Amino acid sequence: DRVVQAYEGLVYMDFAQEHFDATGHGHYERLDVSMLREALPLLFLAYCGEPSDSGRIHSDVRARFDAGDESVRATIAEIADVAATAKAAIENGDADQCRTLMKRNFHLRRRLFGDAVLGETNLRLVQIADDRAAVAKLPGSGGAVVGTCDPDRLEDLRAAYEAESFVFVVLEPYVGAHSLPLLPDDDVPVVDNAGQWLAHSRPIAFEATTA
């Protein structure tokens, strides 16, 4: 979370153990935001007004990973593979592949944490999209989904979320006016493995609109 908060925008993060052990941070690569617009021209965010409990959402997965739990490690490796494949799909403008990978990401997360930990709200946020031929996945600790749909389904999807008191906004990625390049791998990382802030790069963000 701290990496994307620091770099902002569209950032591919690779936390391969060998690189992390050698540098104390992951390998971060900024992707051109225009490629995201080509691959997924319509993105939405839906969320509930009540914040979720991040500690509860993450449960004991970290402890199980550190203890060498094979099922946890295998699932996290699959999630990393999905991210690498998604990077290529975005670069190639492959919308169908992006949607498939978003679904796959959610199902892997569900397998990793389980329904009891994810909670009814998160599952419902995804199900509303599924029921309307849209795609949604959890973007963080919980209480929100980011997704995509065909333009002709947008208003129906918005109405469905708002009917259950969720907030629905359309996202428009944009590049800030004062942009700086990513720091190279041999320079100071954005955050170290203790989570300390070390540097800040160019501001790129998502603009949320209700239009």
Side-chain angles (χ1 to χ4, degrees), residues 158-209:
R158 183 199 301 276
Y161 277 114
E162 292 180 348
E164 298 190 29
S165 298
F166 294 119
V167 181
F168 183 93
V169 294
V170 175
L171 298 176
E172 174 62 33
Y174 73 96
V175 179
H178 306 290
S179 60
L180 297 172
L182 272 174
L183 296 171
D185 270 350
D186 58 358
D187 207 331
V188 180
V190 169
V191 290
D192 64 8
N193 56 6
Q196 300 299 313
W197 290 88
L198 298 177
H200 186 198
S201 189
R202 70 181 182 180
I204 298 182
F206 280 107
E207 178 183 66
T209 68

Side-chain angles (χ1 to χ4, degrees), residues 35-43 90 94-95 98-99 102 148:
M35 294 190 298
L36 181 61
R37 292 194 185 101
E38 290 293 325
L40 295 171
L42 198 163
L43 288 168
I90 290 171
D94 191 335
C98 285
R99 291 185 179 206
M102 290 174 73
T148 187

